[in-house]
Coordinates of all heavy atoms in Angstrom, one line a residue:
M989 N 78.7 72.8 -37.6 CA 77.4 73.0 -37.0 C 76.3 72.4 -37.9 O 76.1 72.8 -39.0 CB 77.1 74.5 -36.9 CG 75.8 74.9 -36.4 SD 75.5 76.6 -36.1 CE 74.8 77.1 -37.7
M990 N 75.7 71.3 -37.3 CA 74.7 70.6 -38.1 C 73.4 70.7 -37.3 O 73.3 70.3 -36.2 CB 75.1 69.1 -38.2 CG 74.0 68.4 -39.0 SD 74.3 66.6 -39.1 CE 75.2 66.6 -40.7
L991 N 72.4 71.2 -38.0 CA 71.1 71.3 -37.4 C 70.4 70.0 -37.5 O 70.5 69.2 -38.5 CB 70.2 72.4 -38.2 CG 70.7 73.8 -38.1 CD1 69.9 74.7 -39.0 CD2 70.6 74.3 -36.7
K992 N 69.7 69.7 -36.4 CA 68.9 68.4 -36.3 C 67.5 68.7 -35.9 O 67.2 69.6 -35.2 CB 69.6 67.5 -35.3 CG 71.0 67.0 -35.8 CD 71.5 66.0 -34.7 CE 72.9 65.5 -35.1 NZ 73.4 64.6 -34.1
K993 N 66.6 67.7 -36.2 CA 65.3 67.8 -35.6 C 65.4 67.4 -34.1 O 66.0 66.4 -33.8 CB 64.4 66.8 -36.3 CG 64.1 67.1 -37.8 CD 63.1 66.2 -38.4 CE 63.7 64.9 -38.8 NZ 62.8 64.0 -39.6
Q994 N 64.8 68.2 -33.3 CA 64.9 68.0 -31.8 C 63.4 68.0 -31.3 O 62.5 68.5 -31.9 CB 65.6 69.2 -31.1 CG 67.0 69.4 -31.7 CD 68.0 68.4 -31.3 OE1 67.8 67.4 -30.6 NE2 69.3 68.6 -31.8
K995 N 63.3 67.3 -30.2 CA 62.0 67.1 -29.5 C 62.2 67.2 -28.0 O 63.0 66.6 -27.5 CB 61.4 65.8 -29.9 CG 60.0 65.5 -29.3 CD 59.4 64.3 -29.8 CE 60.2 63.0 -29.6 NZ 59.4 61.8 -30.0
L996 N 61.4 68.0 -27.4 CA 61.4 68.2 -25.9 C 60.0 67.9 -25.4 O 59.1 68.6 -25.8 CB 61.9 69.6 -25.5 CG 61.8 70.0 -24.1 CD1 62.8 69.1 -23.3 CD2 62.1 71.4 -23.9
I997 N 59.9 66.9 -24.5 CA 58.6 66.6 -23.9 C 58.6 67.0 -22.5 O 59.6 66.6 -21.7 CB 58.3 65.1 -24.1 CG1 58.2 64.7 -25.6 CG2 56.9 64.8 -23.4 CD1 58.1 63.2 -25.8
V998 N 57.6 67.7 -22.0 CA 57.5 68.2 -20.6 C 56.1 67.9 -20.1 O 55.1 67.8 -20.8 CB 57.8 69.7 -20.5 CG1 59.2 70.0 -20.9 CG2 56.8 70.5 -21.2
N999 N 56.0 67.7 -18.8 CA 54.8 67.6 -18.1 C 54.5 68.9 -17.3 O 55.4 69.3 -16.6 CB 54.8 66.4 -17.1 CG 54.6 65.1 -17.9 OD1 54.0 65.0 -18.9 ND2 55.2 64.1 -17.3
I1000 N 53.3 69.4 -17.4 CA 53.0 70.7 -16.7 C 51.6 70.5 -16.1 O 50.7 70.0 -16.7 CB 52.9 71.9 -17.8 CG1 54.1 71.9 -18.6 CG2 52.7 73.2 -17.0 CD1 54.0 72.8 -19.9
E1001 N 51.5 71.1 -14.8 CA 50.2 71.1 -14.2 C 49.2 71.9 -15.1 O 49.6 73.0 -15.5 CB 50.3 71.7 -12.8 CG 51.1 70.8 -11.8 CD 51.2 71.5 -10.5 OE1 50.2 72.0 -9.9 OE2 52.3 71.6 -10.0
S1002 N 48.0 71.4 -15.2 CA 47.0 72.0 -16.1 C 46.8 73.5 -15.8 O 46.6 74.3 -16.8 CB 45.7 71.3 -16.1 OG 45.8 70.0 -16.6
E1003 N 46.7 73.8 -14.6 CA 46.4 75.2 -14.2 C 47.5 76.2 -14.7 O 47.2 77.4 -14.9 CB 46.4 75.4 -12.7 CG 45.2 74.6 -12.0 CD 45.6 73.1 -11.7 OE1 46.8 72.7 -11.9 OE2 44.7 72.4 -11.4
Y1004 N 48.7 75.7 -14.9 CA 49.8 76.6 -15.3 C 50.2 76.4 -16.8 O 51.2 77.0 -17.3 CB 51.0 76.4 -14.4 CG 50.7 76.6 -13.0 CD1 50.4 75.5 -12.1 CD2 50.6 77.9 -12.5 CE1 50.1 75.8 -10.8 CE2 50.3 78.1 -11.1 CZ 50.0 77.0 -10.3 OH 49.7 77.2 -9.0
A1005 N 49.6 75.5 -17.5 CA 50.1 75.0 -18.8 C 50.2 76.2 -19.8 O 51.3 76.4 -20.4 CB 49.2 74.0 -19.4
K1006 N 49.2 77.0 -20.0 CA 49.2 78.1 -21.0 C 50.3 79.1 -20.7 O 51.1 79.5 -21.5 CB 47.9 78.8 -21.1 CG 46.8 78.1 -21.9 CD 45.6 78.9 -22.0 CE 44.6 78.2 -22.9 NZ 43.4 79.0 -23.1
S1007 N 50.4 79.5 -19.4 CA 51.4 80.4 -19.0 C 52.9 79.9 -19.2 O 53.7 80.6 -19.7 CB 51.2 80.8 -17.5 OG 52.2 81.7 -17.1
V1008 N 53.1 78.6 -18.8 CA 54.4 78.0 -18.9 C 54.8 77.8 -20.3 O 55.9 78.2 -20.7 CB 54.5 76.7 -18.1 CG1 55.8 76.0 -18.4 CG2 54.4 77.0 -16.6
I1009 N 53.9 77.3 -21.1 CA 54.2 77.1 -22.6 C 54.5 78.5 -23.2 O 55.5 78.6 -24.0 CB 52.9 76.5 -23.3 CG1 52.8 75.0 -22.8 CG2 53.1 76.6 -24.8 CD1 51.5 74.4 -23.2
S1010 N 53.8 79.5 -22.9 CA 54.0 80.8 -23.5 C 55.4 81.3 -23.1 O 56.2 81.8 -23.9 CB 53.0 81.8 -23.0 OG 53.3 83.1 -23.5
K1011 N 55.8 81.2 -21.8 CA 57.1 81.7 -21.3 C 58.2 80.8 -21.9 O 59.3 81.4 -22.2 CB 57.1 81.6 -19.8 CG 56.2 82.7 -19.2 CD 56.4 82.8 -17.7 CE 55.5 83.8 -17.1 NZ 55.6 85.1 -17.6
V1012 N 58.0 79.5 -22.0 CA 59.1 78.7 -22.6 C 59.3 79.0 -24.1 O 60.4 79.2 -24.5 CB 58.8 77.2 -22.4 CG1 59.7 76.3 -23.3 CG2 58.8 76.8 -21.0
K1013 N 58.2 79.2 -24.8 CA 58.3 79.6 -26.2 C 59.0 81.0 -26.3 O 59.9 81.1 -27.2 CB 57.0 79.7 -26.9 CG 56.4 78.3 -27.2 CD 55.0 78.5 -27.9 CE 55.2 79.1 -29.3 NZ 53.9 79.1 -30.0
N1014 N 58.7 81.9 -25.5 CA 59.3 83.2 -25.5 C 60.8 83.1 -25.2 O 61.6 83.8 -25.9 CB 58.6 84.1 -24.5 CG 59.1 85.6 -24.6 OD1 59.8 85.9 -25.5 ND2 58.7 86.4 -23.7
M1015 N 61.2 82.3 -24.2 CA 62.6 82.2 -23.9 C 63.3 81.5 -25.1 O 64.4 81.8 -25.4 CB 62.7 81.3 -22.6 CG 64.1 81.2 -22.1 SD 65.0 79.7 -22.7 CE 63.9 78.4 -22.4
M1016 N 62.7 80.5 -25.7 CA 63.3 79.8 -26.8 C 63.6 80.7 -27.9 O 64.7 80.6 -28.5 CB 62.5 78.6 -27.3 CG 62.4 77.5 -26.3 SD 61.2 76.2 -26.8 CE 62.2 75.1 -27.8
W1017 N 62.7 81.6 -28.2 CA 62.9 82.6 -29.3 C 63.9 83.6 -28.9 O 64.9 83.9 -29.6 CB 61.6 83.2 -29.7 CG 61.8 84.3 -30.7 CD1 61.7 85.6 -30.6 CD2 62.3 84.0 -32.1 NE1 62.1 86.2 -31.8 CE2 62.4 85.3 -32.7 CE3 62.6 82.9 -32.8 CZ2 62.8 85.4 -34.0 CZ3 63.0 83.0 -34.1 CH2 63.1 84.3 -34.7
S1018 N 63.8 84.3 -27.7 CA 64.6 85.4 -27.4 C 66.1 85.0 -27.1 O 67.0 85.7 -27.4 CB 64.0 86.1 -26.2 OG 64.0 85.3 -25.0
K1019 N 66.3 83.8 -26.5 CA 67.7 83.4 -26.2 C 68.3 82.5 -27.3 O 69.5 82.5 -27.4 CB 67.7 82.7 -24.9 CG 67.4 83.6 -23.7 CD 67.6 82.9 -22.4 CE 67.3 83.9 -21.3 NZ 67.8 83.5 -20.0
F1020 N 67.5 81.7 -28.0 CA 68.1 80.7 -28.9 C 67.6 80.9 -30.4 O 68.0 80.1 -31.2 CB 67.7 79.3 -28.4 CG 68.3 79.0 -27.1 CD1 67.5 79.1 -25.9 CD2 69.6 78.6 -26.9 CE1 68.0 78.9 -24.7 CE2 70.1 78.4 -25.7 CZ 69.3 78.5 -24.5
E1021 N 66.7 81.9 -30.6 CA 66.1 82.1 -31.9 C 65.5 80.8 -32.5 O 65.6 80.4 -33.7 CB 67.1 82.6 -32.9 CG 67.6 84.0 -32.6 CD 68.5 84.7 -33.6 OE1 68.8 84.0 -34.6 OE2 68.9 85.8 -33.4
I1022 N 64.8 80.1 -31.6 CA 64.1 78.9 -32.0 C 62.6 79.2 -31.9 O 62.1 79.7 -30.9 CB 64.4 77.7 -31.0 CG1 65.9 77.3 -31.2 CG2 63.5 76.5 -31.2 CD1 66.4 76.3 -30.1
N1023 N 61.9 78.8 -32.9 CA 60.4 79.0 -32.9 C 59.8 77.6 -33.0 O 59.6 77.1 -34.1 CB 60.0 79.9 -34.1 CG 58.6 80.3 -34.1 OD1 57.9 80.1 -33.1 ND2 58.0 80.8 -35.2
P1024 N 59.5 77.0 -31.8 CA 59.0 75.6 -31.8 C 57.6 75.5 -32.2 O 56.7 76.4 -32.1 CB 59.2 75.2 -30.4 CG 58.9 76.5 -29.6 CD 59.5 77.6 -30.5
N1025 N 57.3 74.3 -32.7 CA 55.9 73.9 -32.9 C 55.5 73.1 -31.6 O 56.2 72.3 -31.2 CB 55.8 72.9 -34.1 CG 54.4 72.5 -34.4 OD1 53.4 73.2 -34.1 ND2 54.2 71.2 -34.8
V1026 N 54.4 73.5 -31.0 CA 54.0 73.0 -29.7 C 52.8 72.1 -29.9 O 51.8 72.5 -30.5 CB 53.7 74.1 -28.7 CG1 53.3 73.5 -27.4 CG2 54.9 75.0 -28.5
V1027 N 52.8 70.8 -29.4 CA 51.7 69.9 -29.5 C 51.4 69.4 -28.0 O 52.3 69.0 -27.3 CB 52.1 68.7 -30.4 CG1 50.9 67.7 -30.4 CG2 52.4 69.2 -31.8
N1028 N 50.1 69.5 -27.7 CA 49.7 69.1 -26.4 C 49.0 67.7 -26.6 O 48.0 67.6 -27.3 CB 48.7 70.1 -25.7 CG 48.3 69.7 -24.3 OD1 48.5 68.6 -23.9 ND2 47.9 70.7 -23.6
F1029 N 49.6 66.7 -26.0 CA 49.1 65.3 -26.2 C 48.0 64.9 -25.1 O 47.5 63.8 -25.2 CB 50.2 64.3 -26.1 CG 51.2 64.4 -27.2 CD1 52.5 64.8 -27.0 CD2 50.8 64.1 -28.5 CE1 53.4 64.9 -28.1 CE2 51.7 64.2 -29.6 CZ 53.0 64.6 -29.4
S1030 N 47.7 65.8 -24.2 CA 46.7 65.5 -23.2 C 45.3 66.0 -23.4 O 45.1 66.9 -24.2 CB 47.2 66.1 -21.9 OG 48.5 65.7 -21.6
F1031 N 44.4 65.3 -22.7 CA 43.0 65.8 -22.8 C 43.0 67.1 -21.9 O 43.7 67.3 -21.0 CB 42.0 64.8 -22.2 CG 41.9 63.6 -23.1 CD1 42.5 62.4 -22.7 CD2 41.3 63.6 -24.3 CE1 42.4 61.2 -23.5 CE2 41.1 62.5 -25.1 CZ 41.7 61.3 -24.7
S1032 N 42.1 68.0 -22.3 CA 42.0 69.3 -21.6 C 41.7 69.2 -20.1 O 42.1 70.1 -19.4 CB 41.0 70.2 -22.3 OG 39.7 69.6 -22.2
D1033 N 41.0 68.1 -19.7 CA 40.7 68.0 -18.3 C 41.7 67.2 -17.5 O 41.6 66.9 -16.3 CB 39.3 67.4 -18.1 CG 39.2 66.0 -18.7 OD1 40.1 65.6 -19.4 OD2 38.2 65.3 -18.4
A1034 N 42.8 66.8 -18.1 CA 43.9 66.0 -17.4 C 44.6 66.9 -16.4 O 44.9 68.0 -16.7 CB 44.9 65.4 -18.4
P1035 N 44.9 66.4 -15.2 CA 45.6 67.2 -14.2 C 47.0 67.6 -14.6 O 47.5 68.6 -14.2 CB 45.5 66.4 -13.0 CG 45.3 65.0 -13.4 CD 44.6 65.1 -14.7
L1036 N 47.6 66.7 -15.4 CA 49.0 67.0 -15.9 C 49.0 66.9 -17.4 O 48.5 66.0 -18.0 CB 49.9 65.9 -15.3 CG 51.4 66.1 -15.1 CD1 51.6 67.3 -14.2 CD2 52.1 64.9 -14.6
Q1037 N 49.5 68.0 -18.0 CA 49.5 68.1 -19.4 C 50.9 67.7 -20.0 O 51.9 68.1 -19.5 CB 49.3 69.6 -19.9 CG 48.0 70.1 -19.4 CD 46.8 69.5 -20.1 OE1 46.7 69.5 -21.4 NE2 45.9 69.0 -19.4
E1038 N 50.9 66.8 -20.9 CA 52.1 66.4 -21.6 C 52.2 67.2 -22.9 O 51.4 67.0 -23.8 CB 52.1 64.9 -21.9 CG 53.5 64.4 -22.5 CD 53.6 62.9 -22.7 OE1 53.9 62.2 -21.7 OE2 53.2 62.5 -23.8
V1039 N 53.2 68.0 -22.9 CA 53.4 68.9 -24.1 C 54.7 68.6 -24.7 O 55.8 68.4 -24.1 CB 53.4 70.4 -23.5 CG1 53.6 71.4 -24.7 CG2 52.1 70.7 -22.8
C1040 N 54.7 68.7 -26.1 CA 55.9 68.4 -26.8 C 56.3 69.6 -27.7 O 55.4 70.2 -28.3 CB 55.7 67.2 -27.7 SG 57.2 66.7 -28.6
F1041 N 57.5 70.0 -27.6 CA 58.1 71.1 -28.4 C 58.9 70.5 -29.5 O 59.9 69.8 -29.2 CB 59.0 72.1 -27.5 CG 58.2 72.8 -26.5 CD1 58.0 72.2 -25.2 CD2 57.8 74.1 -26.7 CE1 57.3 72.9 -24.2 CE2 57.1 74.8 -25.7 CZ 56.9 74.2 -24.4
Y1042 N 58.6 70.8 -30.7 CA 59.4 70.3 -31.9 C 60.1 71.5 -32.5 O 59.5 72.5 -32.7 CB 58.5 69.7 -33.0 CG 57.7 68.5 -32.6 CD1 56.4 68.5 -32.1 CD2 58.4 67.2 -32.7 CE1 55.8 67.4 -31.7 CE2 57.7 66.1 -32.3 CZ 56.4 66.1 -31.9 OH 55.7 65.0 -31.5
Y1043 N 61.4 71.3 -32.7 CA 62.2 72.4 -33.2 C 63.5 71.9 -33.9 O 63.8 70.7 -33.8 CB 62.6 73.4 -32.1 CG 63.3 72.8 -30.9 CD1 64.6 72.7 -30.8 CD2 62.5 72.2 -29.9 CE1 65.2 72.1 -29.7 CE2 63.1 71.6 -28.8 CZ 64.4 71.5 -28.8 OH 65.0 70.9 -27.7
V1044 N 64.2 72.8 -34.6 CA 65.5 72.5 -35.2 C 66.6 73.2 -34.6 O 66.5 74.4 -34.4 CB 65.4 72.8 -36.7 CG1 66.7 72.6 -37.4 CG2 64.3 72.1 -37.4
A1045 N 67.6 72.5 -34.1 CA 68.8 73.1 -33.5 C 69.9 72.1 -33.5 O 69.8 71.0 -33.7 CB 68.4 73.5 -32.0
T1046 N 71.1 72.7 -33.2 CA 72.3 71.8 -33.1 C 72.2 71.1 -31.7 O 71.4 71.5 -30.8 CB 73.6 72.6 -33.1 OG1 73.6 73.4 -32.0 CG2 73.7 73.4 -34.4
D1047 N 72.9 70.0 -31.6 CA 72.9 69.2 -30.3 C 73.4 70.1 -29.2 O 72.9 70.0 -28.1 CB 73.8 68.0 -30.4 CG 73.1 66.9 -31.2 OD1 71.9 66.9 -31.4 OD2 73.8 66.0 -31.8
E1048 N 74.4 71.0 -29.4 CA 74.9 71.8 -28.4 C 73.9 72.8 -27.9 O 73.7 73.0 -26.7 CB 76.2 72.6 -29.0 CG 76.8 73.5 -27.9 CD 78.1 74.2 -28.5 OE1 78.9 73.5 -29.1 OE2 78.2 75.4 -28.3
V1049 N 73.2 73.4 -28.9 CA 72.1 74.4 -28.5 C 71.0 73.7 -27.7 O 70.5 74.2 -26.8 CB 71.6 75.1 -29.8 CG1 70.3 75.9 -29.4 CG2 72.6 76.1 -30.3
D1050 N 70.7 72.5 -28.2 CA 69.6 71.7 -27.5 C 70.0 71.4 -26.1 O 69.2 71.5 -25.2 CB 69.4 70.4 -28.3 CG 68.3 69.6 -27.7 OD1 67.1 70.1 -27.6 OD2 68.5 68.4 -27.3
K1051 N 71.3 71.0 -25.9 CA 71.7 70.7 -24.5 C 71.7 72.0 -23.6 O 71.2 71.9 -22.5 CB 73.2 70.2 -24.6 CG 73.7 69.8 -23.2 CD 75.1 69.3 -23.4 CE 75.7 68.9 -22.0 NZ 77.1 68.4 -22.1
T1052 N 72.1 73.1 -24.2 CA 72.1 74.4 -23.4 C 70.6 74.8 -23.1 O 70.3 75.2 -22.0 CB 72.8 75.5 -24.2 OG1 74.1 75.1 -24.5 CG2 72.8 76.8 -23.4
L1053 N 69.8 74.6 -24.1 CA 68.3 74.9 -24.0 C 67.7 74.1 -22.9 O 67.0 74.6 -22.0 CB 67.6 74.7 -25.3 CG 66.1 74.7 -25.3 CD1 65.6 76.1 -24.9 CD2 65.5 74.3 -26.6
R1054 N 68.0 72.8 -22.9 CA 67.4 71.9 -21.8 C 67.9 72.3 -20.4 O 67.1 72.3 -19.5 CB 67.7 70.5 -22.1 CG 67.0 69.9 -23.3 CD 67.5 68.5 -23.7 NE 66.8 68.1 -24.9 CZ 65.7 67.4 -24.9 NH1 65.1 67.0 -23.8 NH2 65.1 67.0 -26.1
G1055 N 69.1 72.7 -20.3 CA 69.7 73.1 -19.0 C 69.0 74.4 -18.6 O 68.7 74.6 -17.4
T1056 N 68.8 75.3 -19.5 CA 68.1 76.6 -19.2 C 66.7 76.4 -18.7 O 66.2 77.0 -17.8 CB 68.2 77.5 -20.4 OG1 69.5 77.7 -20.8 CG2 67.5 78.9 -20.1
I1057 N 66.0 75.5 -19.4 CA 64.6 75.2 -19.0 C 64.6 74.5 -17.7 O 63.7 74.8 -16.8 CB 63.9 74.3 -20.1 CG1 63.7 75.1 -21.4 CG2 62.6 73.7 -19.6 CD1 63.2 74.4 -22.6
A1058 N 65.5 73.5 -17.4 CA 65.5 72.8 -16.1 C 65.8 73.8 -15.0 O 65.2 73.7 -13.9 CB 66.5 71.7 -16.2
F1059 N 66.7 74.7 -15.2 CA 67.0 75.7 -14.2 C 65.9 76.7 -14.0 O 65.5 77.0 -12.9 CB 68.3 76.4 -14.6 CG 68.7 77.5 -13.6 CD1 69.3 77.1 -12.4 CD2 68.6 78.8 -13.9 CE1 69.7 78.1 -11.4 CE2 68.9 79.8 -12.9 CZ 69.5 79.4 -11.7
G1060 N 65.4 77.3 -15.1 CA 64.4 78.4 -15.0 C 63.0 78.0 -14.7 O 62.2 78.7 -14.2
F1061 N 62.7 76.7 -15.1 CA 61.3 76.3 -15.0 C 61.1 75.0 -14.2 O 60.0 74.4 -14.2 CB 60.7 76.1 -16.4 CG 60.7 77.3 -17.3 CD1 61.7 77.6 -18.1 CD2 59.6 78.1 -17.3 CE1 61.7 78.8 -18.9 CE2 59.5 79.3 -18.0 CZ 60.6 79.6 -18.8
G1062 N 62.1 74.6 -13.5 CA 62.1 73.3 -12.8 C 61.0 73.2 -11.7 O 60.6 72.1 -11.4
E1063 N 60.6 74.4 -11.2 CA 59.5 74.4 -10.2 C 58.1 74.1 -10.8 O 57.2 73.7 -10.1 CB 59.5 75.7 -9.4 CG 60.7 75.9 -8.6 CD 60.8 75.1 -7.4 OE1 59.8 74.8 -6.7 OE2 61.9 74.6 -7.1
V1064 N 57.9 74.4 -12.1 CA 56.6 74.3 -12.6 C 56.4 73.3 -13.7 O 55.3 73.1 -14.2 CB 56.1 75.7 -13.2 CG1 55.9 76.7 -12.1 CG2 57.1 76.2 -14.2
L1065 N 57.5 72.6 -14.1 CA 57.4 71.6 -15.1 C 58.4 70.5 -14.9 O 59.4 70.7 -14.2 CB 57.4 72.1 -16.6 CG 58.7 72.8 -17.1 CD1 59.8 71.8 -17.4 CD2 58.4 73.6 -18.3
A1066 N 58.2 69.3 -15.5 CA 59.1 68.2 -15.4 C 59.5 67.8 -16.8 O 58.6 67.6 -17.7 CB 58.5 67.0 -14.7
V1067 N 60.8 67.8 -17.1 CA 61.2 67.4 -18.5 C 61.2 65.9 -18.5 O 61.8 65.2 -17.7 CB 62.7 67.9 -18.8 CG1 63.2 67.4 -20.1 CG2 62.7 69.4 -18.7
V1068 N 60.5 65.4 -19.5 CA 60.3 63.9 -19.7 C 61.4 63.4 -20.6 O 62.0 62.4 -20.3 CB 58.9 63.6 -20.2 CG1 58.8 62.1 -20.5 CG2 57.8 64.1 -19.2
N1069 N 61.6 64.1 -21.7 CA 62.5 63.6 -22.7 C 63.1 64.8 -23.4 O 62.5 65.8 -23.7 CB 61.8 62.7 -23.7 CG 62.8 62.1 -24.7 OD1 64.0 62.4 -24.7 ND2 62.2 61.3 -25.6

């Protein structure tokens, strides 16, 4: 089990950004014990927010996490990377 630096970039509609970010962070902590650093690369008035989650996890956990996010949050965000 080797921990690696991981990065997840998502696009979220501005109106839902705070709520979605909060829920994703909560899920990352409660299910995977990951406490990510979140960086928003967009201007506050942009209609689509590009948000990056930085965290440390194994590749296996990262793959499972991405699948969980795609399944649970697919209607409100798009995974970019």
Side-chain angles (χ1 to χ4, degrees):
M989 176 174 95
M990 180 182 267
L991 293 173
K992 294 182 178 179
K993 295 186 279 185
Q994 307 286 359
K995 176 171 63 171
L996 173 67
I997 300 173
V998 299
N999 285 328
I1000 310 166
E1001 293 177 50
S1002 292
E1003 296 84 6
Y1004 303 100
K1006 283 187 178 183
S1007 178
V1008 171
I1009 290 168
S1010 176
K1011 289 187 182 305
V1012 170
K1013 283 181 68 175
N1014 187 9
M1015 184 271 306
M1016 291 173 87
W1017 176 251
S1018 65
K1019 292 189 180 195
F1020 299 98
E1021 294 185 359
I1022 293 172
N1023 188 12
N1025 181 34
V1026 180
V1027 178
N1028 187 338
F1029 292 113
S1030 303
F1031 292 108
S1032 60
D1033 62 346
L1036 205 58
Q1037 301 289 305
E1038 184 174 274
V1039 178
C1040 185
F1041 295 85
Y1042 294 96
Y1043 53 95
V1044 176
T1046 64
D1047 285 339
E1048 182 179 311
V1049 168
D1050 183 57
K1051 182 179 177 181
T1052 304
L1053 170 66
R1054 288 171 185 269
T1056 302
I1057 289 172
F1059 178 76
F1061 297 91
E1063 294 288 321
V1064 292
L1065 63 79
V1067 176
V1068 176
N1069 184 1

